[in-house]
Amino acid sequence: MTDRAETDEQREKRVGARIDDEQLDKLRAKVGYALGYTYQWNEVATQDAIRHFAHGCGDDNPMWCDPGYGATTRWGTTLAPPLFYMTMGEDQSPPLPPEVKEASRGALSGVHLFHAGTEIEWGDHIRPDDTLDFHAVLADVEVKESEFAGQTVITHHELDWTNQHGRPVVFQHEWFVRAERRKAAQTGKFDDYEEAHYTDDDLTEIDAQYAREEPRGDKPRWWEDVKPGDEIDQRVKGPLTTTDIIAMHSGWGWGGYNFGPLRLGYKHRQKMPNFWTKNRHGAWDVVQRLHWEDDWAAEVGAPFRYDYGFMRTAWMIQAVTDWMGDDAFLWRFWNRLDRFNFIGDTTWVRGRVKDVREESGHRVADVALSCVDQRDETTAHGDATVILPSRDAGPVEIPNLTRDRRH
C-alpha cells in the first residue's frame, strides 16, 4: 500500500490559491462574457422533472405536482415552481474570445466560492413541455474586507432565461463571495459553534409544524383583503440532513458545474482540475463535497457541512407561494444569505406583509422574509413582491420583464 501522507506542497495546493492583483486582473478580463455554468440538467420541462425539483425542495404543492389539479386552475395546467428555471437552459452566453480566454486563464482558480445573495424577476410561468435559452455573464467584480476571511472578492452575475416562444421568463442577478480557503479556516469565527441536537419533544414540535402546513391552493387571496402587518404562515425546514442535500441535487442537478460520477468525473477533472482535490482517502473528489463532508468543510472555515444558498432561496419562495395561492403571480424576489445553515440546523421561514400598493397597473403586496434557526439567528433575509387578484380590477396579468437590478 502506498504512503498517503500529505506533503506540505500537496496541502498548499489543496488549501487553495491566493487573491492578488494579478488574479483580479485576470478575473476582470472576463466581465461581459459567459460564466461557464451549465444549468441544463433538464432539456425540457417535463412533468416528471418539475415534480422531482419540487419534491427535492420539500414542496408537494399540487400546483406543481398534480396534472389533474393543475387542469382545474385558471392556468389550465400544472406550473413549475418559480425557481425551476435553475435546472434548464440551452446556453447562448457570449463565449470568451481566444485572447481573453488566454489572458484570464486560471483566474482565482482554487479560491473558494460562497453564495451570498440573489435577486430574481419573473416575466412568465414555466409550463410542461417548455424549453429555455440561457444567457449569463460576469457583470461586475468588487474587492471587500470581511470578518470571515479578510480580503474577499464579490462577483456579480446577470442571467436571463427565454422560452421557446421568445418570451423572457426570468432575470436573475446573483452575487458570490470568493475567499481564500486558508484565511477562512484560520479566523476561528465558528470555534464556539456546537452541532444541533434534539430531544423527542423538539422533534414532536417540528412534526406538529409540518402537519399544519398546506398551500392556500385554489382559494384566491384577494388584494383588497391583505393589509400591512399581516403575518404569513411560517414554514419549517429541518433538521437539515445530508439526505436533504441529496434530494435537492436529484431535482436541481449539480448547480451548473456539470460533473458526474466515475468516468464522467474523470472527464470533468481534465477540464476543471482545480474543482477537484484529494479527500482523506487520497482519492479525487469535488470541492463541492463540503456540503456533505465535514473534513472538507473545515478546510474552508466552516465547522460542519452546510446547505446551498439556493436551498434557502427555494424555501423562502415556497413560503410565499403557499401563502399567495394559485391565482397570484410571484413577480420579484431577493435575498441575502447572512450566515451558514449547517447540517442538523432547523430553519423557520417567516414573513410579514410590508406594503400593499399598485405598481404599473398591478395590485401587489410586498412581503418581508427571514430564515431563523434554532439558535434564534437569522441566516437569510429578503423580500418578495406578489401580484394578487383583485375583486375590483380582476385577475392577475403577467408583467413584462424589466431586468432592473435593485440590489
Side-chain angles (χ1 to χ4, degrees), residues 4 82 114 126 155 196 213 221 292 320 352-353 356 358 398:
R4 288 179 181 157
F114 299 92
I126 298 173
T155 56
E213 295 180 2
R221 186 173 292 281
W292 54 85
V320 175
R352 176 183 52 81
V353 177
V356 180
E358 296 185 33
I398 295 177

Side-chain angles (χ1 to χ4, degrees), residues 9 26 186 275 278 350 386 395:
E9 183 180 356
K26 287 184 175 184
Q186 290 174 346
F275 193 74
K278 295 282 187 68
R350 296 167 181 163
V386 178

Side-chain angles (χ1 to χ4, degrees), residues 174-187:
E174 60 187 18
W175 54 101
F176 290 82
V177 174
R178 294 171 180 252
E180 293 180 14
R181 291 170 182 150
R182 181 193 306 278
K183 287 184 180 178
Q186 290 174 346
T187 61

Side-chain angles (χ1 to χ4, degrees), residues 99-121:
E99 65 276 12
V100 176
K101 185 175 182 179
E102 182 60 32
S104 62
R105 188 179 301 278
L108 290 190
S109 180
V111 173
H112 207 77
L113 190 75
F114 299 92
H115 188 186
T118 306
E119 66 173 329
I120 311 166
E121 181 188 0

Side-chain angles (χ1 to χ4, degrees), residues 195-196 239-245 290-294 304-307 341-346 374-375:
E195 284 188 291
L240 185 67
T241 66
T242 304
T243 302
D244 298 323
I245 302 290
L290 49 73
H291 296 289
W292 54 85
E293 184 182 289
D294 283 338
F304 320 112
R305 297 156 285 162
Y306 57 92
D307 73 346
N341 177 39
F342 298 111
I343 295 291
D345 286 355
T346 299
Q374 77 280 356
R375 302 178 186 89

